[in-house]
């Protein structure tokens, strides 16, 4: 339970410092999706079809989230470079 609370708290703090970007919605949506995916870990259930348990679905859910997160990180770095170039000019 403490891990979930600390994770949610870090999401809110991180978002508060990065909310000035024109694409602020992407990390917000990805954090929400990751928190929803975490619920598969937190609220475990027995496997269905003898193959898909909560842990397996958690790992499957994180694949598209992580790829989109790295896409966001690239855009964030480019945005920071853009702001730095504007300050120099």
């Amino acid at each position: 339970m403490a891990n979930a609370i600390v994770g949610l708290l870090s999401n809110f703090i991180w978002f508060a410092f990065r909310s000035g970007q024109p694409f602020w919605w992407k990390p917000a949506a990805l954090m929400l999706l990751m928190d929803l995916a975490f619920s598969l870990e937190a609220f475990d259930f027995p496997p269905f079809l003898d193959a898909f348990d909560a842990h397996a679905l958690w790992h499957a859910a994180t694949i598209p989230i992580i790829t989109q997160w790295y896409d966001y990180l690239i855009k964030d770095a480019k945005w920071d470079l853009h702001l730095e170039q504007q300050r120099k000019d």
Side-chain angles (χ1 to χ4, degrees):
M1 181 69 162
N3 287 344
I5 292 170
V6 169
L8 288 172
L9 184 62
S10 69
N11 284 349
F12 290 124
I13 291 170
W14 186 89
F15 183 67
F17 287 102
R18 300 307 286 181
S19 60
Q21 301 166 329
F23 44 90
W24 62 269
W25 57 271
K26 189 163 189 173
L30 292 171
M31 284 187 257
L32 177 65
L33 288 172
M34 187 60 84
D35 292 340
L36 290 173
F38 172 73
S39 68
L40 292 168
E41 274 291 287
F43 307 111
D44 197 12
F45 55 83
F48 58 94
L49 300 176
D50 292 327
F52 303 106
D53 64 349
H55 191 76
L57 293 176
W58 150 256
H59 282 289
T62 59
I63 294 168
I65 296 170
I66 296 301
T67 58
Q68 289 301 307
W69 185 257
Y70 278 103
D71 180 63
Y72 161 73
L73 290 176
I74 292 167
K75 287 181 181 176
D76 181 49
K78 288 179 180 179
W79 176 253
D80 286 344
L81 286 172
H82 169 73
L83 292 178
E84 189 175 321
Q85 288 296 327
Q86 280 185 338
R87 278 185 240 138
K88 287 181 179 179
D89 293 340

